[in-house]
Amino acid sequence: MGYSVGQVAGFAGVTVRTLHHYDEIGLLAPGERSHAGHRRYDDADLDRLQQILFYRELGFPLDEVAALLDDPDVDPRASLRRRHALLTARIEKLQRMAAAVEHAMEARTMGINLTPEEKFEVFGDKDPKEHAQEAERRWGGTETYAESQRRTARYTKDDWKRMQAEVASWGERYGALMEAGERPDGERAMDMAEEHRQHICTWFYTCTYEIHRGLGEMYVADERFKAFYDSMRPGLAEHLRAAITANADRNAGEA
């Protein structure tokens, strides 16, 4: 009778909702159904799910994953070589991030005060003040940048640590939201985008919905920011951009 959807979710470390979504879009249709109509997965289904999760981990959109898996002309050996190359590149990136974390831990253990650049090295060399600098360049005023400078000049090391913890928590929750198959224009995704906007307002400068739209575009266009968000979960930068746009649309007319 194969495996139930709950069993497969447990094997793969995904949610039942994710498996339902994959079935609904035709990416992973279970090979069997029970007499009561419940999904039953066989070994071939599990093999396909393993490949889906591999490509998702590397940031491939679901439609591209389906094209890769369903193309009869794809050479299985060539596909394995491609996956090996992608994994190697991912490992190298993670190793660089681990080295940055070790550097930060050593510095704190020894009581060394890190520079702003070093503090955010683990986040892909992205200093959050770049939000304000980019806003100044894009929207032509200087008050936004001045406001950010005034605020951050008063921050202590504990303030920076608390801000980092908030970013890490938000990233974990947004990654889980994506894993569950939430669309960028879904309520949960838009609420997370609004939380992101409020975080900028709280820590750096008043981020209007229009400024937030521009930042969303920057997160995809600028490799520094894209690498930062995609390090939380592959594909997160583009998903967030769409969620920011949807959230701005639903709040159209507000500051």
Side-chain angles (χ1 to χ4, degrees):
M1 291 294 292
Y3 305 99
S4 70
V5 66
Q7 288 175 311
V8 174
F11 296 155
V14 299
T15 64
V16 170
R17 180 179 175 182
T18 294
L19 293 176
H20 286 176
H21 178 63
Y22 288 172
D23 185 11
E24 290 164 1
I25 64 175
L27 181 61
L28 180 66
E32 304 173 10
R33 293 273 180 172
S34 70
H35 293 302
H38 299 305
R39 296 172 175 86
R40 307 297 297 185
Y41 295 83
D42 57 26
D43 289 337
D45 297 329
L46 297 186
D47 289 341
R48 183 178 175 90
L49 177 58
Q50 183 184 46
Q51 295 180 69
I52 292 169
L53 296 181
F54 170 81
Y55 284 116
R56 288 297 292 146
E57 182 65 23
L58 291 173
F60 283 70
L62 291 179
D63 56 347
E64 290 186 21
V65 175
L68 283 167
L69 298 184
D70 295 334
D71 187 346
D73 296 326
V74 171
D75 181 349
R77 289 174 298 181
S79 178
L80 284 172
R81 286 194 294 270
R82 173 183 173 82
R83 290 159 65 184
H84 181 269
L86 291 169
L87 277 174
T88 299
R90 182 74 180 277
I91 289 169
E92 290 174 354
K93 179 181 178 181
L94 291 174
Q95 286 175 334
R96 290 195 297 272
M97 292 179 65
V101 172
E102 289 174 4
H103 173 62
M105 290 191 300
E106 290 173 0
R108 289 183 179 180
T109 299
M110 297 172 66
I112 298 172
N113 291 324
L114 300 180
T115 66
E117 291 77 14
E118 289 172 326
K119 287 177 182 177
F120 295 94
E121 183 179 2
V122 67
F123 296 146
D125 298 323
K126 185 191 77 66
D127 185 330
K129 287 184 291 186
E130 290 180 19
H131 282 287
Q133 293 169 329
E134 188 68 15
E136 179 190 16
R137 184 185 71 78
R138 283 173 174 255
W139 291 281
T142 59
E143 181 54 34
T144 299
Y145 180 53
E147 180 184 355
S148 178
Q149 290 288 81
R150 287 194 298 269
R151 293 192 195 183
T152 58
R154 299 193 300 268
Y155 291 164
T156 65
K157 183 180 291 187
D158 286 341
D159 290 327
W160 287 111
K161 289 169 64 176
R162 187 165 66 255
M163 186 273 291
Q164 288 182 20
E166 289 181 8
V167 171
S169 171
W170 179 91
E172 290 177 1
R173 288 181 285 116
Y174 203 102
L177 175 149
M178 290 177 63
E179 175 65 31
E182 179 77 8
R183 290 172 50 88
D185 57 358
E187 288 295 323
R188 292 172 59 209
M190 289 191 290
D191 289 345
M192 290 290 289
E194 176 62 19
E195 182 180 336
H196 180 276
R197 188 184 74 87
Q198 292 294 339
H199 176 86
I200 297 173
C201 291
T202 299
W203 288 97
F204 301 108
Y205 56 87
T206 302
C207 182
T208 66
Y209 288 104
E210 199 57 34
I211 288 177
H212 205 210
R213 284 181 192 269
L215 291 176
E217 295 297 328
M218 182 183 68
Y219 297 156
V220 175
D222 189 309
E223 288 302 318
R224 297 166 300 168
F225 287 88
K226 189 174 189 300
F228 167 58
Y229 285 105
D230 284 355
S231 70
M232 297 177 179
R233 179 177 177 83
L236 194 149
E238 292 192 7
H239 195 284
L240 174 60
R241 175 182 61 176
I244 287 173
T245 298
N247 182 54
D249 288 344
R250 75 169 173 175
N251 289 284
E254 296 187 23

